[in-house]
PDB file of all heavy atoms in Angstrom:
ATOM      1  N   VAL A  17      -2.591  -5.837   6.815  1.00 97.00           N
ATOM      2  CA  VAL A  17      -1.977  -7.144   7.048  1.00 97.00           C
ATOM      3  C   VAL A  17      -3.066  -8.202   6.920  1.00 97.00           C
ATOM      4  O   VAL A  17      -4.048  -8.190   7.669  1.00 97.00           O
ATOM      5  CB  VAL A  17      -1.323  -7.206   8.438  1.00 97.00           C
ATOM      6  CG1 VAL A  17      -0.779  -8.605   8.719  1.00 97.00           C
ATOM      7  CG2 VAL A  17      -0.205  -6.164   8.547  1.00 97.00           C
ATOM      8  N   MET A  18      -2.897  -9.101   5.956  1.00 95.00           N
ATOM      9  CA  MET A  18      -3.870 -10.169   5.768  1.00 95.00           C
ATOM     10  C   MET A  18      -3.656 -11.249   6.826  1.00 95.00           C
ATOM     11  O   MET A  18      -2.541 -11.733   7.027  1.00 95.00           O
ATOM     12  CB  MET A  18      -3.737 -10.784   4.379  1.00 95.00           C
ATOM     13  CG  MET A  18      -4.128  -9.864   3.238  1.00 95.00           C
ATOM     14  SD  MET A  18      -5.861  -9.333   3.330  1.00 95.00           S
ATOM     15  CE  MET A  18      -6.717 -10.907   3.161  1.00 95.00           C
ATOM     16  N   SER A  19      -4.740 -11.635   7.483  1.00 93.00           N
ATOM     17  CA  SER A  19      -4.679 -12.715   8.477  1.00 93.00           C
ATOM     18  C   SER A  19      -5.355 -13.982   7.964  1.00 93.00           C
ATOM     19  O   SER A  19      -5.640 -14.905   8.731  1.00 93.00           O
ATOM     20  CB  SER A  19      -5.296 -12.262   9.797  1.00 93.00           C
ATOM     21  OG  SER A  19      -6.511 -11.575   9.617  1.00 93.00           O
ATOM     22  N   VAL A  20      -5.614 -14.016   6.654  1.00 90.00           N
ATOM     23  CA  VAL A  20      -5.962 -15.230   5.914  1.00 90.00           C
ATOM     24  C   VAL A  20      -5.316 -15.084   4.540  1.00 90.00           C
ATOM     25  O   VAL A  20      -4.895 -13.992   4.149  1.00 90.00           O
ATOM     26  CB  VAL A  20      -7.488 -15.429   5.747  1.00 90.00           C
ATOM     27  CG1 VAL A  20      -8.181 -15.582   7.087  1.00 90.00           C
ATOM     28  CG2 VAL A  20      -8.106 -14.294   4.937  1.00 90.00           C
ATOM     29  N   ASN A  21      -5.253 -16.154   3.793  1.00 87.00           N
ATOM     30  CA  ASN A  21      -4.812 -16.050   2.408  1.00 87.00           C
ATOM     31  C   ASN A  21      -5.958 -15.483   1.578  1.00 87.00           C
ATOM     32  O   ASN A  21      -7.103 -15.940   1.693  1.00 87.00           O
ATOM     33  CB  ASN A  21      -4.375 -17.412   1.881  1.00 87.00           C
ATOM     34  CG  ASN A  21      -3.104 -17.887   2.549  1.00 87.00           C
ATOM     35  OD1 ASN A  21      -2.093 -17.193   2.526  1.00 87.00           O
ATOM     36  ND2 ASN A  21      -3.152 -19.055   3.170  1.00 87.00           N
ATOM     37  N   PRO A  22      -5.692 -14.471   0.755  1.00 77.00           N
ATOM     38  CA  PRO A  22      -6.783 -13.744   0.110  1.00 77.00           C
ATOM     39  C   PRO A  22      -7.495 -14.556  -0.957  1.00 77.00           C
ATOM     40  O   PRO A  22      -6.927 -15.461  -1.562  1.00 77.00           O
ATOM     41  CB  PRO A  22      -6.075 -12.539  -0.508  1.00 77.00           C
ATOM     42  CG  PRO A  22      -4.694 -13.022  -0.773  1.00 77.00           C
ATOM     43  CD  PRO A  22      -4.375 -13.956   0.368  1.00 77.00           C
ATOM     44  N   GLY A  23      -8.762 -14.206  -1.156  1.00 66.00           N
ATOM     45  CA  GLY A  23      -9.525 -14.812  -2.239  1.00 66.00           C
ATOM     46  C   GLY A  23     -10.906 -15.279  -1.859  1.00 66.00           C
ATOM     47  O   GLY A  23     -11.832 -15.249  -2.671  1.00 66.00           O
ATOM     48  N   PHE A  24     -11.075 -15.693  -0.598  1.00 67.00           N
ATOM     49  CA  PHE A  24     -12.374 -16.209  -0.168  1.00 67.00           C
ATOM     50  C   PHE A  24     -12.648 -15.767   1.266  1.00 67.00           C
ATOM     51  O   PHE A  24     -11.735 -15.715   2.096  1.00 67.00           O
ATOM     52  CB  PHE A  24     -12.415 -17.741  -0.245  1.00 67.00           C
ATOM     53  CG  PHE A  24     -12.289 -18.275  -1.647  1.00 67.00           C
ATOM     54  CD1 PHE A  24     -11.045 -18.569  -2.180  1.00 67.00           C
ATOM     55  CD2 PHE A  24     -13.419 -18.450  -2.440  1.00 67.00           C
ATOM     56  CE1 PHE A  24     -10.910 -19.051  -3.475  1.00 67.00           C
ATOM     57  CE2 PHE A  24     -13.291 -18.920  -3.739  1.00 67.00           C
ATOM     58  CZ  PHE A  24     -12.043 -19.220  -4.261  1.00 67.00           C
ATOM     59  N   GLY A  25     -13.915 -15.481   1.558  1.00 62.00           N
ATOM     60  CA  GLY A  25     -14.317 -15.150   2.912  1.00 62.00           C
ATOM     61  C   GLY A  25     -14.500 -16.402   3.757  1.00 62.00           C
ATOM     62  O   GLY A  25     -14.482 -17.528   3.260  1.00 62.00           O
ATOM     63  N   GLY A  26     -14.684 -16.186   5.056  1.00 63.00           N
ATOM     64  CA  GLY A  26     -15.005 -17.281   5.957  1.00 63.00           C
ATOM     65  C   GLY A  26     -13.836 -18.164   6.342  1.00 63.00           C
ATOM     66  O   GLY A  26     -14.036 -19.263   6.864  1.00 63.00           O
ATOM     67  N   GLN A  27     -12.591 -17.692   6.121  1.00 69.00           N
ATOM     68  CA  GLN A  27     -11.431 -18.508   6.452  1.00 69.00           C
ATOM     69  C   GLN A  27     -11.029 -18.340   7.921  1.00 69.00           C
ATOM     70  O   GLN A  27     -11.431 -17.399   8.601  1.00 69.00           O
ATOM     71  CB  GLN A  27     -10.249 -18.131   5.557  1.00 69.00           C
ATOM     72  CG  GLN A  27     -10.465 -18.373   4.078  1.00 69.00           C
ATOM     73  CD  GLN A  27      -9.213 -18.074   3.292  1.00 69.00           C
ATOM     74  OE1 GLN A  27      -8.182 -18.709   3.451  1.00 69.00           O
ATOM     75  NE2 GLN A  27      -9.298 -17.059   2.426  1.00 69.00           N
ATOM     76  N   LYS A  28     -10.171 -19.264   8.374  1.00 83.00           N
ATOM     77  CA  LYS A  28      -9.725 -19.250   9.758  1.00 83.00           C
ATOM     78  C   LYS A  28      -8.559 -18.291   9.939  1.00 83.00           C
ATOM     79  O   LYS A  28      -7.628 -18.247   9.140  1.00 83.00           O
ATOM     80  CB  LYS A  28      -9.309 -20.664  10.184  1.00 83.00           C
ATOM     81  CG  LYS A  28      -8.979 -20.792  11.659  1.00 83.00           C
ATOM     82  CD  LYS A  28      -8.658 -22.232  12.024  1.00 83.00           C
ATOM     83  CE  LYS A  28      -8.309 -22.354  13.502  1.00 83.00           C
ATOM     84  NZ  LYS A  28      -8.003 -23.772  13.880  1.00 83.00           N
ATOM     85  N   PHE A  29      -8.609 -17.518  11.000  1.00 88.00           N
ATOM     86  CA  PHE A  29      -7.594 -16.549  11.369  1.00 88.00           C
ATOM     87  C   PHE A  29      -6.222 -17.213  11.537  1.00 88.00           C
ATOM     88  O   PHE A  29      -6.111 -18.283  12.146  1.00 88.00           O
ATOM     89  CB  PHE A  29      -8.027 -15.891  12.679  1.00 88.00           C
ATOM     90  CG  PHE A  29      -7.077 -14.870  13.234  1.00 88.00           C
ATOM     91  CD1 PHE A  29      -7.017 -13.597  12.700  1.00 88.00           C
ATOM     92  CD2 PHE A  29      -6.270 -15.176  14.320  1.00 88.00           C
ATOM     93  CE1 PHE A  29      -6.160 -12.652  13.232  1.00 88.00           C
ATOM     94  CE2 PHE A  29      -5.414 -14.232  14.857  1.00 88.00           C
ATOM     95  CZ  PHE A  29      -5.360 -12.966  14.305  1.00 88.00           C
ATOM     96  N   ILE A  30      -5.177 -16.574  10.985  1.00 91.00           N
ATOM     97  CA  ILE A  30      -3.800 -17.052  11.097  1.00 91.00           C
ATOM     98  C   ILE A  30      -3.097 -16.207  12.155  1.00 91.00           C
ATOM     99  O   ILE A  30      -2.729 -15.057  11.899  1.00 91.00           O
ATOM    100  CB  ILE A  30      -3.065 -16.958   9.745  1.00 91.00           C
ATOM    101  CG1 ILE A  30      -3.785 -17.809   8.682  1.00 91.00           C
ATOM    102  CG2 ILE A  30      -1.610 -17.383   9.886  1.00 91.00           C
ATOM    103  CD1 ILE A  30      -3.231 -17.637   7.275  1.00 91.00           C
ATOM    104  N   PRO A  31      -2.874 -16.728  13.349  1.00 91.00           N
ATOM    105  CA  PRO A  31      -2.406 -15.883  14.451  1.00 91.00           C
ATOM    106  C   PRO A  31      -0.984 -15.366  14.310  1.00 91.00           C
ATOM    107  O   PRO A  31      -0.664 -14.316  14.881  1.00 91.00           O
ATOM    108  CB  PRO A  31      -2.546 -16.782  15.686  1.00 91.00           C
ATOM    109  CG  PRO A  31      -2.635 -18.169  15.169  1.00 91.00           C
ATOM    110  CD  PRO A  31      -3.233 -18.087  13.809  1.00 91.00           C
ATOM    111  N   HIS A  32      -0.119 -16.042  13.550  1.00 92.00           N
ATOM    112  CA  HIS A  32       1.272 -15.591  13.515  1.00 92.00           C
ATOM    113  C   HIS A  32       1.433 -14.230  12.835  1.00 92.00           C
ATOM    114  O   HIS A  32       2.477 -13.577  12.986  1.00 92.00           O
ATOM    115  CB  HIS A  32       2.181 -16.637  12.864  1.00 92.00           C
ATOM    116  CG  HIS A  32       2.057 -16.746  11.365  1.00 92.00           C
ATOM    117  ND1 HIS A  32       2.553 -15.813  10.494  1.00 92.00           N
ATOM    118  CD2 HIS A  32       1.490 -17.712  10.591  1.00 92.00           C
ATOM    119  CE1 HIS A  32       2.313 -16.178   9.251  1.00 92.00           C
ATOM    120  NE2 HIS A  32       1.664 -17.320   9.287  1.00 92.00           N
ATOM    121  N   VAL A  33       0.413 -13.762  12.105  1.00 94.00           N
ATOM    122  CA  VAL A  33       0.527 -12.449  11.471  1.00 94.00           C
ATOM    123  C   VAL A  33       0.495 -11.315  12.487  1.00 94.00           C
ATOM    124  O   VAL A  33       0.829 -10.173  12.150  1.00 94.00           O
ATOM    125  CB  VAL A  33      -0.574 -12.229  10.412  1.00 94.00           C
ATOM    126  CG1 VAL A  33      -0.567 -13.347   9.380  1.00 94.00           C
ATOM    127  CG2 VAL A  33      -1.952 -12.072  11.033  1.00 94.00           C
ATOM    128  N   LEU A  34       0.107 -11.597  13.727  1.00 97.00           N
ATOM    129  CA  LEU A  34       0.080 -10.541  14.736  1.00 97.00           C
ATOM    130  C   LEU A  34       1.463  -9.942  14.955  1.00 97.00           C
ATOM    131  O   LEU A  34       1.582  -8.767  15.321  1.00 97.00           O
ATOM    132  CB  LEU A  34      -0.487 -11.081  16.049  1.00 97.00           C
ATOM    133  CG  LEU A  34      -1.967 -11.475  16.012  1.00 97.00           C
ATOM    134  CD1 LEU A  34      -2.376 -12.120  17.334  1.00 97.00           C
ATOM    135  CD2 LEU A  34      -2.855 -10.268  15.708  1.00 97.00           C
ATOM    136  N   GLY A  35       2.492 -10.728  14.728  1.00 97.00           N
ATOM    137  CA  GLY A  35       3.846 -10.183  14.823  1.00 97.00           C
ATOM    138  C   GLY A  35       4.091  -9.091  13.799  1.00 97.00           C
ATOM    139  O   GLY A  35       4.805  -8.111  14.082  1.00 97.00           O
ATOM    140  N   LYS A  36       3.504  -9.231  12.607  1.00 97.00           N
ATOM    141  CA  LYS A  36       3.649  -8.182  11.590  1.00 97.00           C
ATOM    142  C   LYS A  36       2.855  -6.938  11.977  1.00 97.00           C
ATOM    143  O   LYS A  36       3.301  -5.807  11.735  1.00 97.00           O
ATOM    144  CB  LYS A  36       3.202  -8.699  10.222  1.00 97.00           C
ATOM    145  CG  LYS A  36       4.225  -9.580   9.558  1.00 97.00           C
ATOM    146  CD  LYS A  36       3.928  -9.804   8.094  1.00 97.00           C
ATOM    147  CE  LYS A  36       2.783 -10.752   7.881  1.00 97.00           C
ATOM    148  NZ  LYS A  36       2.601 -11.090   6.448  1.00 97.00           N
ATOM    149  N   ILE A  37       1.681  -7.134  12.578  1.00 97.00           N
ATOM    150  CA  ILE A  37       0.926  -5.982  13.079  1.00 97.00           C
ATOM    151  C   ILE A  37       1.777  -5.205  14.074  1.00 97.00           C
ATOM    152  O   ILE A  37       1.872  -3.966  14.024  1.00 97.00           O
ATOM    153  CB  ILE A  37      -0.393  -6.439  13.735  1.00 97.00           C
ATOM    154  CG1 ILE A  37      -1.359  -7.006  12.689  1.00 97.00           C
ATOM    155  CG2 ILE A  37      -1.042  -5.301  14.513  1.00 97.00           C
ATOM    156  CD1 ILE A  37      -2.027  -5.973  11.815  1.00 97.00           C
ATOM    157  N   GLU A  38       2.406  -5.910  14.994  1.00 97.00           N
ATOM    158  CA  GLU A  38       3.245  -5.258  16.001  1.00 97.00           C
ATOM    159  C   GLU A  38       4.395  -4.494  15.344  1.00 97.00           C
ATOM    160  O   GLU A  38       4.720  -3.369  15.750  1.00 97.00           O
ATOM    161  CB  GLU A  38       3.788  -6.297  16.978  1.00 97.00           C
ATOM    162  CG  GLU A  38       2.725  -6.922  17.859  1.00 97.00           C
ATOM    163  CD  GLU A  38       3.267  -8.060  18.708  1.00 97.00           C
ATOM    164  OE1 GLU A  38       4.420  -8.500  18.459  1.00 97.00           O
ATOM    165  OE2 GLU A  38       2.552  -8.509  19.618  1.00 97.00           O
ATOM    166  N   ALA A  39       5.008  -5.106  14.328  1.00 98.00           N
ATOM    167  CA  ALA A  39       6.137  -4.457  13.663  1.00 98.00           C
ATOM    168  C   ALA A  39       5.704  -3.206  12.905  1.00 98.00           C
ATOM    169  O   ALA A  39       6.387  -2.170  12.947  1.00 98.00           O
ATOM    170  CB  ALA A  39       6.812  -5.446  12.710  1.00 98.00           C
ATOM    171  N   VAL A  40       4.567  -3.287  12.218  1.00 97.00           N
ATOM    172  CA  VAL A  40       4.069  -2.111  11.498  1.00 97.00           C
ATOM    173  C   VAL A  40       3.698  -1.008  12.487  1.00 97.00           C
ATOM    174  O   VAL A  40       4.040   0.166  12.291  1.00 97.00           O
ATOM    175  CB  VAL A  40       2.869  -2.475  10.600  1.00 97.00           C
ATOM    176  CG1 VAL A  40       2.282  -1.220   9.965  1.00 97.00           C
ATOM    177  CG2 VAL A  40       3.269  -3.468   9.515  1.00 97.00           C
ATOM    178  N   ARG A  41       3.021  -1.364  13.570  1.00 97.00           N
ATOM    179  CA  ARG A  41       2.640  -0.360  14.567  1.00 97.00           C
ATOM    180  C   ARG A  41       3.867   0.325  15.156  1.00 97.00           C
ATOM    181  O   ARG A  41       3.898   1.549  15.312  1.00 97.00           O
ATOM    182  CB  ARG A  41       1.814  -1.042  15.676  1.00 97.00           C
ATOM    183  CG  ARG A  41       1.543  -0.191  16.915  1.00 97.00           C
ATOM    184  CD  ARG A  41       0.905   1.156  16.619  1.00 97.00           C
ATOM    185  NE  ARG A  41      -0.340   1.005  15.901  1.00 97.00           N
ATOM    186  CZ  ARG A  41      -0.931   1.997  15.226  1.00 97.00           C
ATOM    187  NH1 ARG A  41      -0.380   3.196  15.173  1.00 97.00           N
ATOM    188  NH2 ARG A  41      -2.059   1.780  14.588  1.00 97.00           N
ATOM    189  N   LYS A  42       4.896  -0.453  15.468  1.00 97.00           N
ATOM    190  CA  LYS A  42       6.111   0.122  16.043  1.00 97.00           C
ATOM    191  C   LYS A  42       6.747   1.112  15.073  1.00 97.00           C
ATOM    192  O   LYS A  42       7.176   2.213  15.477  1.00 97.00           O
ATOM    193  CB  LYS A  42       7.095  -0.992  16.395  1.00 97.00           C
ATOM    194  CG  LYS A  42       8.370  -0.499  17.045  1.00 97.00           C
ATOM    195  CD  LYS A  42       9.282  -1.667  17.429  1.00 97.00           C
ATOM    196  CE  LYS A  42      10.573  -1.162  18.079  1.00 97.00           C
ATOM    197  NZ  LYS A  42      11.462  -2.300  18.455  1.00 97.00           N
ATOM    198  N   LEU A  43       6.793   0.752  13.790  1.00 97.00           N
ATOM    199  CA  LEU A  43       7.383   1.639  12.795  1.00 97.00           C
ATOM    200  C   LEU A  43       6.552   2.912  12.633  1.00 97.00           C
ATOM    201  O   LEU A  43       7.100   4.028  12.599  1.00 97.00           O
ATOM    202  CB  LEU A  43       7.503   0.915  11.459  1.00 97.00           C
ATOM    203  CG  LEU A  43       8.096   1.726  10.301  1.00 97.00           C
ATOM    204  CD1 LEU A  43       9.515   2.167  10.621  1.00 97.00           C
ATOM    205  CD2 LEU A  43       8.071   0.919   9.010  1.00 97.00           C
ATOM    206  N   VAL A  44       5.241   2.757  12.517  1.00 97.00           N
ATOM    207  CA  VAL A  44       4.360   3.919  12.359  1.00 97.00           C
ATOM    208  C   VAL A  44       4.526   4.880  13.533  1.00 97.00           C
ATOM    209  O   VAL A  44       4.678   6.096  13.360  1.00 97.00           O
ATOM    210  CB  VAL A  44       2.897   3.457  12.209  1.00 97.00           C
ATOM    211  CG1 VAL A  44       1.930   4.622  12.375  1.00 97.00           C
ATOM    212  CG2 VAL A  44       2.678   2.789  10.855  1.00 97.00           C
ATOM    213  N   ASP A  45       4.510   4.338  14.741  1.00 96.00           N
ATOM    214  CA  ASP A  45       4.593   5.190  15.931  1.00 96.00           C
ATOM    215  C   ASP A  45       5.973   5.821  16.080  1.00 96.00           C
ATOM    216  O   ASP A  45       6.096   7.008  16.410  1.00 96.00           O
ATOM    217  CB  ASP A  45       4.255   4.386  17.182  1.00 96.00           C
ATOM    218  CG  ASP A  45       2.777   4.023  17.277  1.00 96.00           C
ATOM    219  OD1 ASP A  45       1.995   4.517  16.446  1.00 96.00           O
ATOM    220  OD2 ASP A  45       2.417   3.245  18.176  1.00 96.00           O
TER     221      ASP A  45
END
């Protein structure tokens, strides 16, 4: 799950992607 838009380093973290982490973890488990 990308927490920045891809292409360059040093970008600011996008916190709303944590919801996707939770959804993927729930499915995997």
Side-chain angles (χ1 to χ4, degrees):
V17 176
M18 292 299 297
S19 45
V20 298
N21 291 304
F24 295 90
Q27 297 184 63
K28 187 177 179 179
F29 179 78
I30 300 173
H32 74 74
V33 305
L34 293 175
K36 282 194 286 187
I37 292 285
E38 292 173 349
V40 175
R41 170 54 57 198
K42 182 177 180 180
L43 179 61
V44 167
D45 289 352

